[in-house]
Amino acid sequence: MPYSPELFERTQEIIDNRRLDAERKAEEKRAAFEKEEPQYAKNRLIMIDSMRQVFQAMSARTDTEELAVILQEMKMKNLAAQDDNRRLLREHGMAEDALDPKYTCKKCSDYGYIETKRCECFMELLRQLAFEEAGKKSPLRFSSFEEFRLDYYSETVNPDFGCSPRQRMEDILELCREYAANFDLHSQNLLMIGETGLGKTHLSLAIAGEAIRKGYGVLYNSAQNIFSELEREHFSRSAKDGEFESLIFESDLLVIDDLGAEFSTQFTNAALYNIINTRINTARPTIINTNLNLQDLEDKYTRRISSRLIGEYLSLVFFGEDIRQKKNG
Ligand SMILES: [Zn+2]
């Protein structure tokens, strides 16, 4: 996936700060401890001095036998000082590594690379920042299942659906909770259909939040923002070329909110088909929310799009009255 150089820089900066921060804190802790226990500092000086002497002896090319004696002597000195420092820590009821820097990533000690290879922690953070960046244009905040209020939905049976909005929402809520709890790359695609204000956005945000907590790369945005960003990227030439598109294709979960509200053009139709198709082919789950019913979807887009949605997505049909007025009232 292509990332911009700025994003690489920002990632390295965050990781460098993690390291500096861990080392600064360790330094402070050690200074405080040494105030209480000056012998700890003395032992540390012995260690540094023994290393210096080893280095000197080696560069002075003393004869082999003599060198071996010095090395052995310094090694013993060094080990004794280390032992004594461990003893001091124990006597103060501290763990042996209590004064070591606490790195976020133990593999690379927050350098971001191991030898010449980028560490996993670097790639993970880079990815996370890219998703954050891509989601920034979305005005939505993540919501939770706990906040979802079933009591806003009417218990009057709707003859068209054979159940009440409340019953339908109980089923949908249960399904979404399970979907989120079990979310992985094998999860189904969901198509949430229904008028504005019935909770589609709330539930898809709750799923997205859960997937993020599980460590998945999630991209959530409105159809309008997604298409305009793709269009901008498509028709401009910058270093960030293709970054947003890659995130759309490669995110573990993509949520397209409010499909159908955007101004549709040939470009948006082609882009939508491409997104739906590519993600089906690469087995990456997608959730689409729309106010349009299946017939509207076919009219607005094309048959090939609506048939993929019908065939490859699990449709959740929301109905009832706009609950936002009840919330505000
Ligand atoms: Zn690392």
Side-chain angles (χ1 to χ4, degrees):
M1 169 179 330
Y3 294 106
S4 64
E6 296 86 45
L7 212 56
F8 268 93
E9 260 169 53
R10 203 142 58 83
T11 305
Q12 188 62 53
E13 199 180 304
I14 292 174
I15 290 186
D16 284 340
N17 281 332
R18 285 178 182 169
R19 185 182 70 253
L20 297 174
D21 197 48
E23 285 168 357
R24 186 181 48 76
K25 280 183 184 145
E27 195 88 355
E28 283 169 9
K29 256 193 185 167
R30 201 190 64 211
F33 184 70
E34 286 178 351
K35 224 176 194 177
E36 224 179 297
E37 193 56 85
Q39 185 58 39
Y40 191 91
K42 283 182 197 153
N43 286 338
R44 247 176 8 94
L45 287 177
I46 291 172
M47 289 182 235
I48 293 167
D49 188 60
S50 65
M51 296 294 282
R52 191 178 52 78
Q53 289 203 42
V54 164
F55 184 71
Q56 264 180 3
M58 286 173 80
S59 47
R61 300 191 193 173
T62 326
D63 79 9
T64 336
E65 232 167 90
E66 208 177 320
L67 183 63
V69 173
I70 295 174
L71 291 187
Q72 182 59 19
E73 193 186 327
M74 289 308 131
K75 189 178 161 192
M76 299 315 287
K77 235 175 150 180
N78 196 305
L79 289 175
Q82 284 185 39
D83 271 348
D84 199 45
N85 271 355
R86 278 196 284 270
R87 177 187 62 82
L88 291 170
L89 288 170
R90 270 201 309 277
E91 279 180 10
H92 286 261
M94 290 160 78
E96 283 185 1
D97 62 354
L99 301 181
D100 296 344
K102 298 282 175 285
Y103 295 115
T104 306
C105 175
K106 289 181 179 63
K107 283 186 193 151
C108 70
S109 301
D110 294 343
Y111 271 94
Y113 45 86
I114 299 170
E115 289 170 8
T116 56
K117 253 194 98 191
R118 297 274 187 201
C119 182
E120 283 163 34
C121 71
F122 185 95
M123 297 316 292
E124 204 174 292
L125 181 62
L126 182 67
R127 203 169 122 88
Q128 192 189 322
L129 291 177
F131 282 115
E132 271 171 26
E133 191 91 333
K136 254 182 202 162
K137 294 187 177 74
S138 157
L140 305 157
R141 287 175 50 94
F142 290 105
S143 48
S144 71
F145 290 114
E146 285 69 38
E147 292 165 312
F148 196 82
R149 295 271 304 270
L150 282 167
D151 57 336
Y152 287 135
Y153 297 86
S154 156
E155 286 182 288
T156 312
V157 172
N158 180 319
D160 290 342
F161 294 92
C163 64
S164 70
R166 173 87 58 93
Q167 284 166 326
R168 174 59 59 91
M169 287 318 297
E170 277 168 5
D171 291 345
I172 290 179
L173 176 61
E174 183 58 29
L175 189 142
C176 289
R177 266 183 194 276
E178 260 177 50
Y179 184 92
N182 301 317
F183 179 81
D184 63 20
L185 294 178
H186 302 293
S187 291
Q188 287 177 280
N189 303 306
L190 300 182
L191 179 63
M192 299 190 182
I193 297 177
E195 312 254 317
T196 309
L198 291 176
K200 302 188 300 293
T201 298
H202 186 126
L203 290 178
S204 51
L205 280 170
I207 293 172
E210 198 60 39
I212 288 172
R213 266 191 292 281
K214 288 176 144 205
Y216 289 103
V218 176
L219 187 58
Y220 192 114
N221 222 320
S222 68
Q224 197 161 345
N225 283 339
I226 288 174
F227 292 134
S228 61
E229 187 62 22
L230 286 175
E231 203 159 3
R232 199 190 54 75
E233 204 170 73
H234 190 77
F235 295 109
S236 78
R237 288 185 197 183
S238 75
K240 292 175 96 176
D241 255 1
E243 188 173 297
F244 188 77
E245 189 178 50
S246 301
L247 291 172
I248 290 283
F249 288 149
E250 293 175 26
S251 51
D252 299 322
L253 173 63
L254 171 68
V255 185
I256 304 177
D257 199 31
D258 215 1
L259 180 72
E262 79 287 349
F263 180 71
S264 71
T265 63
Q266 247 180 342
F267 178 87
T268 60
N269 276 354
L272 179 61
Y273 183 72
N274 198 11
I275 293 169
I276 291 173
N277 215 30
T278 305
R279 292 186 59 87
I280 288 170
N281 291 339
T282 54
R284 286 172 200 274
T286 308
I287 298 176
I288 296 179
N289 297 334
T290 182
N291 298 347
L292 305 178
N293 62 36
L294 290 172
Q295 187 56 53
D296 296 337
L297 283 170
E298 187 174 324
D299 295 345
K300 186 169 168 95
Y301 303 100
T302 53
R303 183 79 198 241
R304 57 177 196 161
I305 289 179
S306 67
S307 70
R308 294 235 85 176
L309 291 177
I310 293 165
E312 307 279 349
Y313 281 63
L314 175 68
S315 298
L316 305 179
V317 181
F318 293 57
F319 67 90
E321 295 160 47
D322 190 335
I323 59 159
R324 289 173 304 176
Q325 282 133 22
K326 297 190 189 176
K327 273 187 185 170
N328 295 335

